Amino acid sequence: MTSSLYFDRPSIKQMEQRYRAQFINSLAGFKSANLVGTVDQDGHPNLAIVNSAIHLGANPPLMGMVTRPRTVERHSVENILDTGYYTLNQVHGGMIRPAHQTSARYLRGQSEFDATGLKPSYLEDHPAPYVDESRLKIGLKLLECKHLEFNNTDFIVGEIIAVHVEPNVIQPDGYVDIEALDAVTISGLDSYHRTERLERLAYAKPDEPTRALE
């Protein structure tokens, strides 16, 4: 067995702040890259990249995401709480740099759309902007926001009320082939990756061998 490095709680705590953030963030592996689109109560748009969007349920269709700690102003969170609506927009390989740039700490009222050159798109009367360049756009309505006291973050739960996706990527069983959209993933805080599907497997049953889907 190959020997491994061992980090206990004291050694993790003693890491330099940025080193520790990168180290711990990398442990979760590959995460989806999405841009959160919001507007404030005066209609000013805001855009921010997140790597914490997760599936919560299909009926009703729910997604969750964890925000960054409230150590500074979090315009996206405030806009979601004020308006009750937001969008998630999948990042593809052709928009990595402007998407990453949205993580910069722009002043309130300064649009990340304008700063990065990404184009806002308002569809089906959804009050929050989509990202026009994204190939998978999801409109959500806020259901619940849980503030997590132990690390000063927020867990936001939204109901999917609209989906815009490019044609020919939805397979007959409902599977959305996001790899065909050139969707990228994030590891750590700043490393972007393309994926390679190895295989799709049939629904597992205890009395049947594992088999590949056609």
Side-chain angles (χ1 to χ4, degrees), residues 130-145:
Y130 296 95
V131 178
D132 187 68
E133 292 84 353
S134 179
R135 297 166 182 165
L136 174 58
K137 309 174 181 67
I138 305 169
L140 298 110
K141 180 179 180 180
L142 175 66
L143 288 185
E144 190 171 0
C145 179

Side-chain angles (χ1 to χ4, degrees), residues 166-214:
E166 288 197 351
N168 305 320
V169 300
I170 304 177
Q171 298 191 3
D173 64 353
Y175 172 73
V176 179
D177 186 1
I178 61 171
E179 190 172 88
L181 298 173
D182 191 28
V184 300
T185 66
I186 300 176
S187 65
L189 296 170
D190 50 25
S191 183
Y192 293 83
H193 308 260
R194 284 189 168 99
T195 63
E196 177 186 358
R197 182 168 64 243
L198 302 178
E199 58 182 335
R200 288 189 69 200
L201 300 175
Y203 185 84
K205 297 181 180 179
D207 56 346
E208 295 182 8
T210 305
R211 64 179 179 85
L213 290 174
E214 295 294 333

Side-chain angles (χ1 to χ4, degrees), residues 54-181:
I54 58 171
H55 162 80
L56 287 181
N59 187 26
L62 304 176
M63 294 186 73
M65 67 177 184
V66 180
T67 68
R68 295 165 71 182
R70 291 194 191 184
T71 52
V72 297
E73 286 187 334
R74 296 299 178 198
H75 304 151
S76 294
V77 177
E78 294 168 13
N79 291 348
I80 292 171
L81 294 177
D82 287 343
T83 68
Y85 292 91
Y86 60 105
T87 68
L88 283 174
N89 306 269
Q90 184 71 237
V91 176
H92 61 71
M95 53 189 291
I96 292 174
R97 290 198 173 192
H100 182 78
Q101 185 61 29
T102 65
S103 64
R105 294 181 180 178
Y106 292 102
L107 297 176
R108 181 184 299 280
Q110 184 177 5
S111 169
E112 286 81 1
F113 284 102
D114 293 339
T116 63
L118 293 169
K119 181 181 177 182
S121 179
Y122 294 87
L123 304 172
E124 85 280 325
D125 295 326
H126 195 282
Y130 296 95
V131 178
D132 187 68
E133 292 84 353
S134 179
R135 297 166 182 165
L136 174 58
K137 309 174 181 67
I138 305 169
L140 298 110
K141 180 179 180 180
L142 175 66
L143 288 185
E144 190 171 0
C145 179
K146 289 285 189 182
H147 185 63
L148 308 180
E149 296 289 346
F150 50 81
N151 68 346
N152 204 26
T153 62
D154 294 281
F155 184 69
I156 293 176
V157 179
E159 180 179 6
I160 298 171
I161 58 176
V163 176
H164 298 268
V165 61
E166 288 197 351
N168 305 320
V169 300
I170 304 177
Q171 298 191 3
D173 64 353
Y175 172 73
V176 179
D177 186 1
I178 61 171
E179 190 172 88
L181 298 173

